[in-house]
Amino acid sequence: MGDNDNGPHAESGIRGGSLRRLLLTLIDAAGTERSRIIPRPHIAAALDSGVHASISSAALFTPRDEPIDAAGLDAVIGDVLVRPDASRLALIDERMQLGWAPADVLWPEGTPFFGCGRYAVRRTVENLMAGGLRARIGFEIEFSLIRDGAADSGPRPAHEGPAYGQRPLLQNELFIDALLDDLEIAGVPVLQVHAEHGLGQFELALAARDPLAACDDYLLTRLVIERVSLRHGLTASFAPIPPVGAAANGMHIHLSVMQGESNLLTPTAPDTPTRDGLAVIAGILDALPAATALLCGSESSYERLRPGRWSGASLCWGVQNREAAVRYIPSTAQAGAHGANIEVKPGDATANPYLAVAALLAAASDGLARRTTPPAPIELSPLRLSVEEREARGIRSLPSTLVDALSLLNESAMLRRQLSDRLVDLYVAVRMPRP
Ligand code: GLU
Ligand code: MG
């Protein structure tokens, strides 16, 4: 350790010693990426031992960049270590030899800091593993692409449709070409890119991987999208309610749970997963009201999270149902029924993706431990049902404001037990809207 070579990244073969610059990134409870750039002579030491950061800069800023005291921490006292993960080094720019790595946050003596999202994912993964299970996670990333307009013309979308059309792809061919090249160099497994139905809106779908790698891929993808858009005179907005158009941006999370080589979500009867697969769905539905704050972290998230927006605002599940919070996908083109998964739709990019995934894994473990079953799937848009019919079919609602969502999270014994009291206290304090 401590030499000038920290071993190859499992997929890209990147070695710390070959880089000129290292950009390291953590994402905090506010859902903001906090980064720094390390010059060549210090990269090996940073990968080995981390760099010091004030506790406030790593954990105590609100989404509006105001430092607060929370979870027993004082914003002006103390340091943490921010340590880039050498096993996740990615090359961001070949010409500049700029590397990137997601960082863990540790106490100065090297033990995990309770506010670290990567640590929360590792813990919930270990919980599943104790029961002989492993999860696979795949993200869908929606964003709106905006052209820098003249000062008086305001933001202009990079396309005006048609939704899911060919023209938006052709009009933005150079951007998409550079984006796919850079993501390939960075080692991100992209499945496809398409134009969404909003003005300027696109979506990238990433392949399913183990949960920590999938969350790292998500951060890396957002970084690459931002870099490539800046190079093309464009601005990418991941906001749930973007500055152009009426459509909202989501961050959908696909999840499956495996026991050995068998997938608990593979149907055993038409469109019906195994009993354990049903317990995973039920666990997630039961946890979602309290977990919503971790998936939808801003006040504007709740403008998006409304029926009719395909954002999964109705708390139910259904086979291929895009209005249900949990959409069951009984098979995929690539893997058939073995690729069966659920898509959790309510999340958006204001979440900390690690905490969002940790909450879903915790919910899945909880559903399995309780061997619970969900209500019957909903086979039509919940919008077609009256209030009474919705109630009769067990369709519930998700919280409709950030404050309500945070108070449900605050009261969740299950999430407190699995994610830790201090993490929940920190998150609630950082996200609570202030006048
Ligand atoms: N844009 C929608 C959202 O905010 C999702 C559209 C889709 O189903 O892909 O979640
Ligand atoms: Mg989409």
Side-chain angles (χ1 to χ4, degrees), residues 140 142 164 194 196-197 201-203 252 310 343 345:
E140 284 177 16
E142 292 181 339
Y164 307 100
H194 70 260
E196 263 292 335
H197 68 268
Q201 199 179 28
F202 288 100
E203 173 178 316
H252 304 168
W310 297 10
E343 180 188 33
K345 296 202 67 150

Side-chain angles (χ1 to χ4, degrees), residues 19 24 68 70 183 187 221 231 239 247 255 265 360 389 405 410 426:
L19 297 172
L24 60 91
I68 58 161
L183 286 168
T221 304
R231 271 205 326 265
L255 174 142
L265 290 159
L360 296 182
E389 286 169 327
N410 200 33
L426 175 70

